[in-house]
PDB file of all heavy atoms in Angstrom:
ATOM      1  N   ASP A   1     225.997  72.971 156.856  1.00  0.00           N
ATOM      2  CA  ASP A   1     226.293  74.249 157.519  1.00  0.00           C
ATOM      3  C   ASP A   1     227.561  74.867 156.937  1.00  0.00           C
ATOM      4  O   ASP A   1     227.590  76.052 156.615  1.00  0.00           O
ATOM      5  CB  ASP A   1     226.451  74.033 159.029  1.00  0.00           C
ATOM      6  CG  ASP A   1     226.949  75.284 159.730  1.00  0.00           C
ATOM      7  OD1 ASP A   1     226.203  76.277 159.787  1.00  0.00           O
ATOM      8  OD2 ASP A   1     228.099  75.265 160.211  1.00  0.00           O
ATOM      9  N   TYR A   2     228.609  74.067 156.786  1.00  0.00           N
ATOM     10  CA  TYR A   2     229.868  74.576 156.213  1.00  0.00           C
ATOM     11  C   TYR A   2     229.632  75.049 154.785  1.00  0.00           C
ATOM     12  O   TYR A   2     230.088  76.127 154.395  1.00  0.00           O
ATOM     13  CB  TYR A   2     230.935  73.489 156.247  1.00  0.00           C
ATOM     14  CG  TYR A   2     232.268  73.949 155.703  1.00  0.00           C
ATOM     15  CD1 TYR A   2     233.205  74.547 156.538  1.00  0.00           C
ATOM     16  CD2 TYR A   2     232.596  73.786 154.363  1.00  0.00           C
ATOM     17  CE1 TYR A   2     234.432  74.968 156.045  1.00  0.00           C
ATOM     18  CE2 TYR A   2     233.815  74.201 153.862  1.00  0.00           C
ATOM     19  CZ  TYR A   2     234.728  74.793 154.707  1.00  0.00           C
ATOM     20  OH  TYR A   2     235.938  75.221 154.219  1.00  0.00           O
ATOM     21  N   ASP A   3     228.912  74.253 153.999  1.00  0.00           N
ATOM     22  CA  ASP A   3     228.634  74.627 152.613  1.00  0.00           C
ATOM     23  C   ASP A   3     227.893  75.961 152.544  1.00  0.00           C
ATOM     24  O   ASP A   3     228.224  76.813 151.717  1.00  0.00           O
ATOM     25  CB  ASP A   3     227.799  73.551 151.915  1.00  0.00           C
ATOM     26  CG  ASP A   3     228.607  72.318 151.545  1.00  0.00           C
ATOM     27  OD1 ASP A   3     229.851  72.413 151.474  1.00  0.00           O
ATOM     28  OD2 ASP A   3     227.982  71.263 151.318  1.00  0.00           O
ATOM     29  N   GLU A   4     226.909  76.146 153.411  1.00  0.00           N
ATOM     30  CA  GLU A   4     226.143  77.393 153.403  1.00  0.00           C
ATOM     31  C   GLU A   4     227.000  78.586 153.813  1.00  0.00           C
ATOM     32  O   GLU A   4     226.866  79.671 153.270  1.00  0.00           O
ATOM     33  CB  GLU A   4     224.923  77.278 154.317  1.00  0.00           C
ATOM     34  CG  GLU A   4     223.851  76.378 153.737  1.00  0.00           C
ATOM     35  CD  GLU A   4     222.705  76.123 154.694  1.00  0.00           C
ATOM     36  OE1 GLU A   4     222.730  76.619 155.846  1.00  0.00           O
ATOM     37  OE2 GLU A   4     221.771  75.415 154.285  1.00  0.00           O
ATOM     38  N   ARG A   5     227.897  78.377 154.775  1.00  0.00           N
ATOM     39  CA  ARG A   5     228.764  79.468 155.217  1.00  0.00           C
ATOM     40  C   ARG A   5     229.837  79.804 154.190  1.00  0.00           C
ATOM     41  O   ARG A   5     230.410  80.882 154.222  1.00  0.00           O
ATOM     42  CB  ARG A   5     229.422  79.136 156.555  1.00  0.00           C
ATOM     43  CG  ARG A   5     228.448  79.205 157.724  1.00  0.00           C
ATOM     44  CD  ARG A   5     229.125  78.978 159.066  1.00  0.00           C
ATOM     45  NE  ARG A   5     229.523  77.584 159.225  1.00  0.00           N
ATOM     46  CZ  ARG A   5     230.766  77.170 159.475  1.00  0.00           C
ATOM     47  NH1 ARG A   5     231.742  78.020 159.613  1.00  0.00           N
ATOM     48  NH2 ARG A   5     231.028  75.878 159.612  1.00  0.00           N
ATOM     49  N   HIS A   6     230.124  78.871 153.293  1.00  0.00           N
ATOM     50  CA  HIS A   6     231.169  79.092 152.298  1.00  0.00           C
ATOM     51  C   HIS A   6     230.600  79.101 150.879  1.00  0.00           C
ATOM     52  O   HIS A   6     231.323  78.892 149.916  1.00  0.00           O
ATOM     53  CB  HIS A   6     232.259  78.030 152.435  1.00  0.00           C
ATOM     54  CG  HIS A   6     233.006  78.174 153.706  1.00  0.00           C
ATOM     55  ND1 HIS A   6     232.573  77.609 154.886  1.00  0.00           N
ATOM     56  CD2 HIS A   6     234.130  78.848 154.009  1.00  0.00           C
ATOM     57  CE1 HIS A   6     233.416  77.927 155.851  1.00  0.00           C
ATOM     58  NE2 HIS A   6     234.361  78.672 155.353  1.00  0.00           N
ATOM     59  N   ALA A   7     229.309  79.352 150.780  1.00  0.00           N
ATOM     60  CA  ALA A   7     228.649  79.354 149.476  1.00  0.00           C
ATOM     61  C   ALA A   7     229.063  80.570 148.658  1.00  0.00           C
ATOM     62  O   ALA A   7     229.337  81.633 149.205  1.00  0.00           O
ATOM     63  CB  ALA A   7     227.130  79.354 149.670  1.00  0.00           C
ATOM     64  N   LEU A   8     229.085  80.384 147.374  1.00  0.00           N
ATOM     65  CA  LEU A   8     229.371  81.498 146.479  1.00  0.00           C
ATOM     66  C   LEU A   8     228.106  82.310 146.273  1.00  0.00           C
ATOM     67  O   LEU A   8     227.007  81.761 146.194  1.00  0.00           O
ATOM     68  CB  LEU A   8     229.867  80.976 145.134  1.00  0.00           C
ATOM     69  CG  LEU A   8     231.232  80.313 145.155  1.00  0.00           C
ATOM     70  CD1 LEU A   8     231.562  79.761 143.779  1.00  0.00           C
ATOM     71  CD2 LEU A   8     232.299  81.299 145.593  1.00  0.00           C
ATOM     72  N   PRO A   9     228.261  83.622 146.166  1.00  0.00           N
ATOM     73  CA  PRO A   9     227.081  84.455 145.918  1.00  0.00           C
ATOM     74  C   PRO A   9     226.562  84.223 144.505  1.00  0.00           C
ATOM     75  O   PRO A   9     227.347  83.907 143.596  1.00  0.00           O
ATOM     76  CB  PRO A   9     227.612  85.878 146.096  1.00  0.00           C
ATOM     77  CG  PRO A   9     229.081  85.783 145.873  1.00  0.00           C
ATOM     78  CD  PRO A   9     229.480  84.403 146.289  1.00  0.00           C
ATOM     79  N   PRO A  10     225.270  84.413 144.283  1.00  0.00           N
ATOM     80  CA  PRO A  10     224.721  84.285 142.927  1.00  0.00           C
ATOM     81  C   PRO A  10     225.399  85.278 141.984  1.00  0.00           C
ATOM     82  O   PRO A  10     225.721  86.402 142.369  1.00  0.00           O
ATOM     83  CB  PRO A  10     223.241  84.613 143.114  1.00  0.00           C
ATOM     84  CG  PRO A  10     222.967  84.318 144.552  1.00  0.00           C
ATOM     85  CD  PRO A  10     224.236  84.645 145.283  1.00  0.00           C
ATOM     86  N   ALA A  11     225.611  84.869 140.750  1.00  0.00           N
ATOM     87  CA  ALA A  11     226.313  85.707 139.765  1.00  0.00           C
ATOM     88  C   ALA A  11     225.565  87.001 139.473  1.00  0.00           C
ATOM     89  O   ALA A  11     226.172  87.986 139.035  1.00  0.00           O
ATOM     90  CB  ALA A  11     226.526  84.916 138.482  1.00  0.00           C
ATOM     91  N   SER A  12     224.265  87.038 139.706  1.00  0.00           N
ATOM     92  CA  SER A  12     223.472  88.228 139.399  1.00  0.00           C
ATOM     93  C   SER A  12     223.672  89.351 140.419  1.00  0.00           C
ATOM     94  O   SER A  12     223.202  90.465 140.206  1.00  0.00           O
ATOM     95  CB  SER A  12     221.989  87.855 139.333  1.00  0.00           C
ATOM     96  OG  SER A  12     221.571  87.338 140.595  1.00  0.00           O
ATOM     97  N   MET A  13     224.367  89.091 141.500  1.00  0.00           N
ATOM     98  CA  MET A  13     224.564  90.108 142.542  1.00  0.00           C
ATOM     99  C   MET A  13     225.621  91.130 142.128  1.00  0.00           C
ATOM    100  O   MET A  13     226.573  90.802 141.433  1.00  0.00           O
ATOM    101  CB  MET A  13     225.027  89.460 143.852  1.00  0.00           C
ATOM    102  CG  MET A  13     223.976  88.705 144.572  1.00  0.00           C
ATOM    103  SD  MET A  13     224.627  88.144 146.173  1.00  0.00           S
ATOM    104  CE  MET A  13     223.116  87.645 146.951  1.00  0.00           C
ATOM    105  N   THR A  14     225.434  92.352 142.611  1.00  0.00           N
ATOM    106  CA  THR A  14     226.464  93.363 142.437  1.00  0.00           C
ATOM    107  C   THR A  14     227.633  93.010 143.364  1.00  0.00           C
ATOM    108  O   THR A  14     227.498  92.155 144.239  1.00  0.00           O
ATOM    109  CB  THR A  14     225.944  94.761 142.803  1.00  0.00           C
ATOM    110  OG1 THR A  14     225.658  94.791 144.205  1.00  0.00           O
ATOM    111  CG2 THR A  14     224.696  95.140 141.998  1.00  0.00           C
ATOM    112  N   VAL A  15     228.749  93.702 143.189  1.00  0.00           N
ATOM    113  CA  VAL A  15     229.919  93.445 144.037  1.00  0.00           C
ATOM    114  C   VAL A  15     229.579  93.697 145.498  1.00  0.00           C
ATOM    115  O   VAL A  15     229.914  92.890 146.374  1.00  0.00           O
ATOM    116  CB  VAL A  15     231.115  94.317 143.581  1.00  0.00           C
ATOM    117  CG1 VAL A  15     232.248  94.237 144.578  1.00  0.00           C
ATOM    118  CG2 VAL A  15     231.582  93.881 142.198  1.00  0.00           C
ATOM    119  N   SER A  16     228.894  94.793 145.793  1.00  0.00           N
ATOM    120  CA  SER A  16     228.570  95.096 147.192  1.00  0.00           C
ATOM    121  C   SER A  16     227.585  94.077 147.761  1.00  0.00           C
ATOM    122  O   SER A  16     227.704  93.672 148.920  1.00  0.00           O
ATOM    123  CB  SER A  16     228.027  96.521 147.338  1.00  0.00           C
ATOM    124  OG  SER A  16     226.839  96.698 146.597  1.00  0.00           O
ATOM    125  N   GLU A  17     226.628  93.628 146.964  1.00  0.00           N
ATOM    126  CA  GLU A  17     225.684  92.599 147.420  1.00  0.00           C
ATOM    127  C   GLU A  17     226.428  91.291 147.697  1.00  0.00           C
ATOM    128  O   GLU A  17     226.143  90.613 148.691  1.00  0.00           O
ATOM    129  CB  GLU A  17     224.592  92.364 146.370  1.00  0.00           C
ATOM    130  CG  GLU A  17     223.604  93.499 146.239  1.00  0.00           C
ATOM    131  CD  GLU A  17     222.683  93.350 145.041  1.00  0.00           C
ATOM    132  OE1 GLU A  17     223.043  92.653 144.069  1.00  0.00           O
ATOM    133  OE2 GLU A  17     221.586  93.940 145.084  1.00  0.00           O
ATOM    134  N   ALA A  18     227.372  90.953 146.806  1.00  0.00           N
ATOM    135  CA  ALA A  18     228.157  89.729 146.999  1.00  0.00           C
ATOM    136  C   ALA A  18     228.981  89.816 148.281  1.00  0.00           C
ATOM    137  O   ALA A  18     229.079  88.846 149.035  1.00  0.00           O
ATOM    138  CB  ALA A  18     229.070  89.492 145.794  1.00  0.00           C
ATOM    139  N   LEU A  19     229.552  90.991 148.547  1.00  0.00           N
ATOM    140  CA  LEU A  19     230.346  91.180 149.757  1.00  0.00           C
ATOM    141  C   LEU A  19     229.467  91.036 151.001  1.00  0.00           C
ATOM    142  O   LEU A  19     229.830  90.343 151.954  1.00  0.00           O
ATOM    143  CB  LEU A  19     231.030  92.547 149.728  1.00  0.00           C
ATOM    144  CG  LEU A  19     231.990  92.860 150.860  1.00  0.00           C
ATOM    145  CD1 LEU A  19     233.067  91.797 151.001  1.00  0.00           C
ATOM    146  CD2 LEU A  19     232.616  94.232 150.634  1.00  0.00           C
ATOM    147  N   ARG A  20     228.296  91.656 150.990  1.00  0.00           N
ATOM    148  CA  ARG A  20     227.369  91.526 152.132  1.00  0.00           C
ATOM    149  C   ARG A  20     226.912  90.071 152.291  1.00  0.00           C
ATOM    150  O   ARG A  20     226.821  89.557 153.400  1.00  0.00           O
ATOM    151  CB  ARG A  20     226.172  92.460 151.961  1.00  0.00           C
ATOM    152  CG  ARG A  20     226.519  93.922 152.135  1.00  0.00           C
ATOM    153  CD  ARG A  20     225.294  94.812 152.257  1.00  0.00           C
ATOM    154  NE  ARG A  20     224.323  94.630 151.202  1.00  0.00           N
ATOM    155  CZ  ARG A  20     224.291  95.325 150.062  1.00  0.00           C
ATOM    156  NH1 ARG A  20     225.191  96.248 149.820  1.00  0.00           N
ATOM    157  NH2 ARG A  20     223.351  95.098 149.167  1.00  0.00           N
ATOM    158  N   TYR A  21     226.648  89.393 151.177  1.00  0.00           N
ATOM    159  CA  TYR A  21     226.228  87.994 151.205  1.00  0.00           C
ATOM    160  C   TYR A  21     227.310  87.123 151.846  1.00  0.00           C
ATOM    161  O   TYR A  21     227.023  86.301 152.720  1.00  0.00           O
ATOM    162  CB  TYR A  21     225.935  87.539 149.771  1.00  0.00           C
ATOM    163  CG  TYR A  21     225.618  86.070 149.632  1.00  0.00           C
ATOM    164  CD1 TYR A  21     224.313  85.609 149.774  1.00  0.00           C
ATOM    165  CD2 TYR A  21     226.613  85.140 149.339  1.00  0.00           C
ATOM    166  CE1 TYR A  21     224.014  84.266 149.635  1.00  0.00           C
ATOM    167  CE2 TYR A  21     226.318  83.795 149.201  1.00  0.00           C
ATOM    168  CZ  TYR A  21     225.017  83.363 149.350  1.00  0.00           C
ATOM    169  OH  TYR A  21     224.726  82.039 149.223  1.00  0.00           O
ATOM    170  N   LEU A  22     228.556  87.303 151.416  1.00  0.00           N
ATOM    171  CA  LEU A  22     229.650  86.505 151.963  1.00  0.00           C
ATOM    172  C   LEU A  22     229.862  86.790 153.448  1.00  0.00           C
ATOM    173  O   LEU A  22     230.162  85.872 154.217  1.00  0.00           O
ATOM    174  CB  LEU A  22     230.929  86.738 151.175  1.00  0.00           C
ATOM    175  CG  LEU A  22     230.930  86.118 149.777  1.00  0.00           C
ATOM    176  CD1 LEU A  22     232.092  86.640 148.948  1.00  0.00           C
ATOM    177  CD2 LEU A  22     230.963  84.604 149.858  1.00  0.00           C
ATOM    178  N   LEU A  23     229.705  88.045 153.844  1.00  0.00           N
ATOM    179  CA  LEU A  23     229.803  88.381 155.274  1.00  0.00           C
ATOM    180  C   LEU A  23     228.758  87.601 156.055  1.00  0.00           C
ATOM    181  O   LEU A  23     229.060  86.973 157.073  1.00  0.00           O
ATOM    182  CB  LEU A  23     229.585  89.876 155.506  1.00  0.00           C
ATOM    183  CG  LEU A  23     230.783  90.783 155.459  1.00  0.00           C
ATOM    184  CD1 LEU A  23     230.353  92.226 155.702  1.00  0.00           C
ATOM    185  CD2 LEU A  23     231.845  90.390 156.446  1.00  0.00           C
ATOM    186  N   GLU A  24     227.530  87.657 155.578  1.00  0.00           N
ATOM    187  CA  GLU A  24     226.426  86.993 156.281  1.00  0.00           C
ATOM    188  C   GLU A  24     226.624  85.482 156.323  1.00  0.00           C
ATOM    189  O   GLU A  24     226.481  84.856 157.375  1.00  0.00           O
ATOM    190  CB  GLU A  24     225.103  87.318 155.581  1.00  0.00           C
ATOM    191  CG  GLU A  24     223.904  86.683 156.240  1.00  0.00           C
ATOM    192  CD  GLU A  24     222.622  87.003 155.504  1.00  0.00           C
ATOM    193  OE1 GLU A  24     222.476  88.145 155.026  1.00  0.00           O
ATOM    194  OE2 GLU A  24     221.767  86.105 155.414  1.00  0.00           O
ATOM    195  N   GLN A  25     226.975  84.890 155.186  1.00  0.00           N
ATOM    196  CA  GLN A  25     227.123  83.433 155.109  1.00  0.00           C
ATOM    197  C   GLN A  25     228.287  82.919 155.950  1.00  0.00           C
ATOM    198  O   GLN A  25     228.242  81.813 156.469  1.00  0.00           O
ATOM    199  CB  GLN A  25     227.304  82.986 153.660  1.00  0.00           C
ATOM    200  CG  GLN A  25     226.080  83.182 152.805  1.00  0.00           C
ATOM    201  CD  GLN A  25     224.889  82.390 153.302  1.00  0.00           C
ATOM    202  OE1 GLN A  25     224.989  81.215 153.579  1.00  0.00           O
ATOM    203  NE2 GLN A  25     223.757  83.048 153.433  1.00  0.00           N
ATOM    204  N   SER A  26     229.322  83.742 156.090  1.00  0.00           N
ATOM    205  CA  SER A  26     230.510  83.299 156.823  1.00  0.00           C
ATOM    206  C   SER A  26     230.422  83.578 158.316  1.00  0.00           C
ATOM    207  O   SER A  26     231.263  83.103 159.081  1.00  0.00           O
ATOM    208  CB  SER A  26     231.756  83.987 156.256  1.00  0.00           C
ATOM    209  OG  SER A  26     231.729  85.370 156.544  1.00  0.00           O
ATOM    210  N   GLY A  27     229.441  84.384 158.719  1.00  0.00           N
ATOM    211  CA  GLY A  27     229.328  84.741 160.130  1.00  0.00           C
ATOM    212  C   GLY A  27     230.299  85.841 160.537  1.00  0.00           C
ATOM    213  O   GLY A  27     230.454  86.141 161.711  1.00  0.00           O
ATOM    214  N   ARG A  28     230.933  86.453 159.570  1.00  0.00           N
ATOM    215  CA  ARG A  28     231.860  87.553 159.854  1.00  0.00           C
ATOM    216  C   ARG A  28     231.077  88.854 159.965  1.00  0.00           C
ATOM    217  O   ARG A  28     229.909  88.924 159.622  1.00  0.00           O
ATOM    218  CB  ARG A  28     232.903  87.669 158.740  1.00  0.00           C
ATOM    219  CG  ARG A  28     233.795  86.452 158.633  1.00  0.00           C
ATOM    220  CD  ARG A  28     234.824  86.653 157.532  1.00  0.00           C
ATOM    221  NE  ARG A  28     235.598  85.473 157.260  1.00  0.00           N
ATOM    222  CZ  ARG A  28     236.629  85.065 157.977  1.00  0.00           C
ATOM    223  NH1 ARG A  28     237.011  85.745 159.024  1.00  0.00           N
ATOM    224  NH2 ARG A  28     237.279  83.969 157.651  1.00  0.00           N
ATOM    225  N   THR A  29     231.769  89.899 160.438  1.00  0.00           N
ATOM    226  CA  THR A  29     231.151  91.214 160.560  1.00  0.00           C
ATOM    227  C   THR A  29     231.950  92.230 159.752  1.00  0.00           C
ATOM    228  O   THR A  29     233.071  91.950 159.303  1.00  0.00           O
ATOM    229  CB  THR A  29     231.113  91.674 162.030  1.00  0.00           C
ATOM    230  OG1 THR A  29     232.464  91.894 162.469  1.00  0.00           O
ATOM    231  CG2 THR A  29     230.418  90.652 162.917  1.00  0.00           C
ATOM    232  N   ALA A  30     231.388  93.418 159.607  1.00  0.00           N
ATOM    233  CA  ALA A  30     232.075  94.494 158.886  1.00  0.00           C
ATOM    234  C   ALA A  30     233.436  94.783 159.517  1.00  0.00           C
ATOM    235  O   ALA A  30     234.391  95.125 158.817  1.00  0.00           O
ATOM    236  CB  ALA A  30     231.203  95.737 158.848  1.00  0.00           C
ATOM    237  N   ALA A  31     233.540  94.622 160.813  1.00  0.00           N
ATOM    238  CA  ALA A  31     234.818  94.863 161.497  1.00  0.00           C
ATOM    239  C   ALA A  31     235.911  93.924 160.983  1.00  0.00           C
ATOM    240  O   ALA A  31     237.094  94.291 160.978  1.00  0.00           O
ATOM    241  CB  ALA A  31     234.651  94.699 163.007  1.00  0.00           C
ATOM    242  N   ASP A  32     235.531  92.747 160.512  1.00  0.00           N
ATOM    243  CA  ASP A  32     236.507  91.802 159.970  1.00  0.00           C
ATOM    244  C   ASP A  32     237.110  92.290 158.651  1.00  0.00           C
ATOM    245  O   ASP A  32     238.106  91.747 158.187  1.00  0.00           O
ATOM    246  CB  ASP A  32     235.867  90.429 159.760  1.00  0.00           C
ATOM    247  CG  ASP A  32     235.451  89.782 161.066  1.00  0.00           C
ATOM    248  OD1 ASP A  32     236.200  89.892 162.047  1.00  0.00           O
ATOM    249  OD2 ASP A  32     234.360  89.177 161.093  1.00  0.00           O
ATOM    250  N   LEU A  33     236.503  93.307 158.050  1.00  0.00           N
ATOM    251  CA  LEU A  33     236.990  93.835 156.777  1.00  0.00           C
ATOM    252  C   LEU A  33     237.962  95.001 156.949  1.00  0.00           C
ATOM    253  O   LEU A  33     238.502  95.497 155.961  1.00  0.00           O
ATOM    254  CB  LEU A  33     235.802  94.264 155.904  1.00  0.00           C
ATOM    255  CG  LEU A  33     234.805  93.169 155.553  1.00  0.00           C
ATOM    256  CD1 LEU A  33     233.670  93.733 154.709  1.00  0.00           C
ATOM    257  CD2 LEU A  33     235.481  92.012 154.849  1.00  0.00           C
ATOM    258  N   LEU A  34     238.171  95.417 158.175  1.00  0.00           N
ATOM    259  CA  LEU A  34     239.095  96.537 158.410  1.00  0.00           C
ATOM    260  C   LEU A  34     240.502  96.222 157.915  1.00  0.00           C
ATOM    261  O   LEU A  34     241.190  97.099 157.387  1.00  0.00           O
ATOM    262  CB  LEU A  34     239.127  96.914 159.892  1.00  0.00           C
ATOM    263  CG  LEU A  34     237.930  97.722 160.380  1.00  0.00           C
ATOM    264  CD1 LEU A  34     237.972  97.872 161.892  1.00  0.00           C
ATOM    265  CD2 LEU A  34     237.892  99.084 159.703  1.00  0.00           C
ATOM    266  N   SER A  35     240.920  94.988 158.043  1.00  0.00           N
ATOM    267  CA  SER A  35     242.260  94.622 157.576  1.00  0.00           C
ATOM    268  C   SER A  35     242.372  94.713 156.055  1.00  0.00           C
ATOM    269  O   SER A  35     243.467  94.841 155.523  1.00  0.00           O
ATOM    270  CB  SER A  35     242.618  93.207 158.042  1.00  0.00           C
ATOM    271  OG  SER A  35     241.740  92.261 157.467  1.00  0.00           O
ATOM    272  N   VAL A  36     241.250  94.664 155.363  1.00  0.00           N
ATOM    273  CA  VAL A  36     241.247  94.763 153.902  1.00  0.00           C
ATOM    274  C   VAL A  36     241.168  96.218 153.455  1.00  0.00           C
ATOM    275  O   VAL A  36     241.903  96.654 152.578  1.00  0.00           O
ATOM    276  CB  VAL A  36     240.064  93.968 153.301  1.00  0.00           C
ATOM    277  CG1 VAL A  36     239.962  94.177 151.803  1.00  0.00           C
ATOM    278  CG2 VAL A  36     240.182  92.493 153.646  1.00  0.00           C
ATOM    279  N   PHE A  37     240.276  96.991 154.098  1.00  0.00           N
ATOM    280  CA  PHE A  37     240.005  98.354 153.644  1.00  0.00           C
ATOM    281  C   PHE A  37     240.700  99.437 154.461  1.00  0.00           C
ATOM    282  O   PHE A  37     240.799 100.576 154.015  1.00  0.00           O
ATOM    283  CB  PHE A  37     238.492  98.612 153.630  1.00  0.00           C
ATOM    284  CG  PHE A  37     237.772  97.797 152.598  1.00  0.00           C
ATOM    285  CD1 PHE A  37     237.099  96.645 152.952  1.00  0.00           C
ATOM    286  CD2 PHE A  37     237.795  98.158 151.260  1.00  0.00           C
ATOM    287  CE1 PHE A  37     236.442  95.879 152.000  1.00  0.00           C
ATOM    288  CE2 PHE A  37     237.145  97.411 150.302  1.00  0.00           C
ATOM    289  CZ  PHE A  37     236.464  96.262 150.674  1.00  0.00           C
TER     290      PHE A  37
END
């Protein structure tokens, strides 16, 4: 479970796809990105 939540996105993904993938795998939401953007 931890490995899946902290998995790296496949290299073939675009930056936005990788960001969405990491959000999903980590259980975070778009609101968690407000501190970044």
Side-chain angles (χ1 to χ4, degrees):
D1 172 68
Y2 181 88
D3 285 340
E4 288 173 359
R5 287 184 289 123
H6 293 86
L8 292 176
S12 61
M13 287 186 167
T14 66
V15 171
S16 61
E17 289 170 336
L19 185 55
R20 289 192 308 268
Y21 174 88
L22 288 168
L23 271 180
E24 180 181 322
Q25 292 299 311
S26 68
R28 296 181 187 280
T29 67
D32 295 320
L33 300 179
L34 283 172
S35 63
V36 174
F37 293 100

